[in-house]
Amino acid sequence: MSSSESPGAPGPAQPLDGLVVVADPKDPVAVEVRDFALESGHKATVLDVFDAAQAFTVTVDGPTAVVEPAVPLMLRLPAPPLRRVSFDAEFQLTECLAHLWAVAALTPAPVINRPAPGGPGTRVSPSAVLTDIRAGLPGDAVEVFSALPPAPAPPARGEGTQWWVQDYSTWTTRPWPEPPAGPGPYRARWSDPDPLLENVVVLGDRAWPCSAVELDELRLAERSTDMVARLGLDLASVVWRISPDLTEARPVVVEPFPDIEQLRAVWLGLGPRLLEVLFP
C-alpha cells in the first residue's frame, strides 16, 4: 500500500477538511491544483487512491446514503494496467476504486468528474470511433485493432493519407510501415502525415482553445463542451485534427485527465473557474 507524500497531507487517520485531489501525489496537475487552492486561501491536499479510500466513510440507512466527510473532490484516478501485475495488487486497487466510486457518486459536495453509473470516465473508450459514437458523432472513421501491426485499410472520406499505428503497451505511435516500439496489441487509423492539431480544454460549460489561431468558424469550443458533456465528464481535453485549409475538424482523442502542459496553456481562465466550481 502506498502513502501520500504531498506536503501537509493529513493521511487517512485524520479528518479531512477542504479540497481533496485523488491522484498520484507526484502528479503535476494534482500538485498544481492543490497549490493554487492553497494560495487562494482554501484548504487542499492530495491523496493517492489507497489513502483516499481509507479517509471516507459511506453509511447506508434504508434509502439514504451519507458520505463523511463531505468535502470537494477532484478525481484523477489511474488507469488500470494493461497486463495484470499480481492478483493481490489488482484486487486491492479495485476495492479502493469501488469505494471511491461510491464516495464520489453519493457525496453532496462538488466533484470534478463525478462518476456516472458506468464508472469513472468509462464512456471514454480506448477506441476513438466508439468514443465518437458515445459523444453523439457519426463514428464513420476507419479504426483497426490487432495483435500484430495492421496493414492499411481503405480510408473513409476526409480521413487523411497517412496510416498511423499505435502500440497499446507503450503508447508509442509510428507512421506505417515503421513499427512502434512494444509487443502490442496495436491500434491503427488514418490521419495526415503532418497533422494540424488544436487542443481544447473543457470544464463544464466553458472551453478554452490552447492556441491563438482563429478557428471560430469550426465552433471547436461549442463542439468540445457538447462532446465532454455527452461522455459524462467535467474536466477534460479534446484534441482536434484540422484540415490543411482550416475548413474541417475531426476529434482525435478525448482525454479525461488532461496533462499539466494542456492545462497550463489555459490556466489564466481555467484556474479561477475551477475554484468557483469546487468552492461555490
Side-chain angles (χ1 to χ4, degrees), residues 98-126:
H99 180 63
L100 288 174
W101 176 5
V103 169
L106 296 172
T107 182
V111 178
I112 297 294
N113 286 344
R114 188 185 297 271
T122 53
R123 290 185 63 79
V124 176
S125 168

Side-chain angles (χ1 to χ4, degrees), residues 6-99:
S6 57
Q14 302 179 29
L16 293 175
D17 185 15
L19 170 65
V20 175
V21 183
V22 183
D24 183 327
K26 296 180 180 179
D27 174 18
V29 172
V31 172
E32 186 85 8
V33 171
R34 180 203 64 200
D35 291 350
F36 185 69
L38 291 172
E39 292 167 2
S40 302
H42 300 283
K43 295 181 179 180
T45 190
V46 180
L47 294 180
D48 65 22
V49 169
F50 305 102
D51 281 354
Q54 297 177 73
F56 291 91
T57 301
V58 179
T59 304
V60 178
D61 183 7
T64 304
V66 177
V67 176
E68 298 177 312
V71 296
L73 287 171
M74 179 176 176
L75 303 182
R76 288 184 61 84
L77 302 178
L82 292 176
R83 289 180 171 85
R84 174 176 287 176
V85 177
S86 75
F87 176 82
D88 289 344
E90 182 176 332
F91 178 81
Q92 183 184 28
L93 176 62
T94 302
E95 288 293 294
C96 290
L97 289 175
H99 180 63

